[in-house]
Amino acid sequence: PGTGGQKTWDKYIIYLIMIIWLFWIIIIPLDAKRFGWSPEFPLWIKLISIALLLVSFYFFFNAFRDNTYLSPLVRVQSERKQTVISKGVYGIVRHPMYLGAVLLFIASPMLMSSIAGIIIGLLMTLLLTVRIIGEEKMLIEELEGYDEYKNKVKFRLIPFIW
């Protein structure tokens, strides 16, 4: 965080997500295996979580493949003459990397049987939602063609919902 023209407000969100993510990866095994705070989830929930993780990996991989401008920082890469990407997974949702992250945040603790992990995952999802709103405002203002793309691809994060 904090390099390459990143927006100031985004630095705070990224640091907060990083701290919560660290807490998330510590709490899940403590909950699911060490202390057993959550009950063991049924097999059908674990199978759904595996399917969600596969979808998560699909969106992560293809977001990186389809968009050479992809960055963990909220910024426009004007030095590289960044353009709007609308092919592949970017034709499904405007933020496919975030969709992959959200699925990971929820499906991983489901697979491990951790209610605490799911709650923390939902908190990280909320932070990503706030980040998406700020990022889209910046993209509309600074990236030529983003407004048209926004009208073409209606959903920010979750197809047919938001």
Side-chain angles (χ1 to χ4, degrees):
T3 61
Q6 181 183 19
K7 301 300 176 190
T8 304
W9 59 265
D10 186 50
K11 292 176 189 176
Y12 298 110
I13 291 177
I14 283 296
Y15 281 122
L16 193 54
I17 288 173
M18 288 170 50
I19 291 166
I20 295 170
W21 179 78
L22 183 61
F23 186 64
W24 180 74
I25 62 172
I26 292 170
I27 287 295
I28 291 173
L30 289 176
D31 176 12
K33 302 300 174 197
R34 175 78 171 170
F35 297 114
W37 299 322
S38 298
E40 186 70 21
F41 291 4
L43 179 61
W44 66 271
I45 289 179
K46 292 184 177 207
L47 292 174
I48 289 171
S49 69
I50 290 170
L52 292 174
L53 284 170
L54 290 173
V55 174
S56 168
F57 300 149
Y58 171 82
F59 276 97
F60 270 129
F61 176 80
N62 285 296
F64 280 92
R65 186 192 69 186
D66 296 339
N67 185 359
T68 59
Y69 303 106
L70 189 82
S71 171
L73 310 177
V74 172
R75 65 189 178 123
V76 171
Q77 299 173 42
S78 52
E79 72 280 1
R80 292 182 57 209
K81 299 187 183 345
Q82 182 174 347
T83 59
V84 174
I85 305 297
S86 60
K87 66 180 181 179
V89 290
Y90 287 88
I92 300 169
V93 293
R94 296 193 302 258
H95 301 278
M97 184 178 71
Y98 294 156
L99 175 56
V102 167
L103 292 171
L104 179 74
F105 295 159
I106 304 305
S108 296
M110 283 173 53
L111 183 60
M112 297 295 293
S113 299
S114 174
I115 294 171
I118 292 170
I119 292 167
I120 297 168
L122 290 171
L123 177 60
M124 288 189 292
T125 298
L126 178 65
L127 285 171
L128 280 181
T129 302
V130 169
R131 189 176 198 218
I132 286 170
I133 292 167
E135 184 172 347
E136 289 214 327
K137 183 176 184 274
M138 183 268 312
L139 289 170
I140 289 167
E141 294 170 359
E142 297 180 24
L143 185 61
E144 185 178 332
Y146 193 81
D147 209 27
E148 293 83 23
Y149 169 66
K150 194 175 100 169
N151 292 328
K152 179 183 168 193
V153 178
K154 300 288 183 202
F155 304 103
R156 293 174 174 162
L157 184 65
I158 304 169
F160 308 107
I161 297 174
W162 186 72

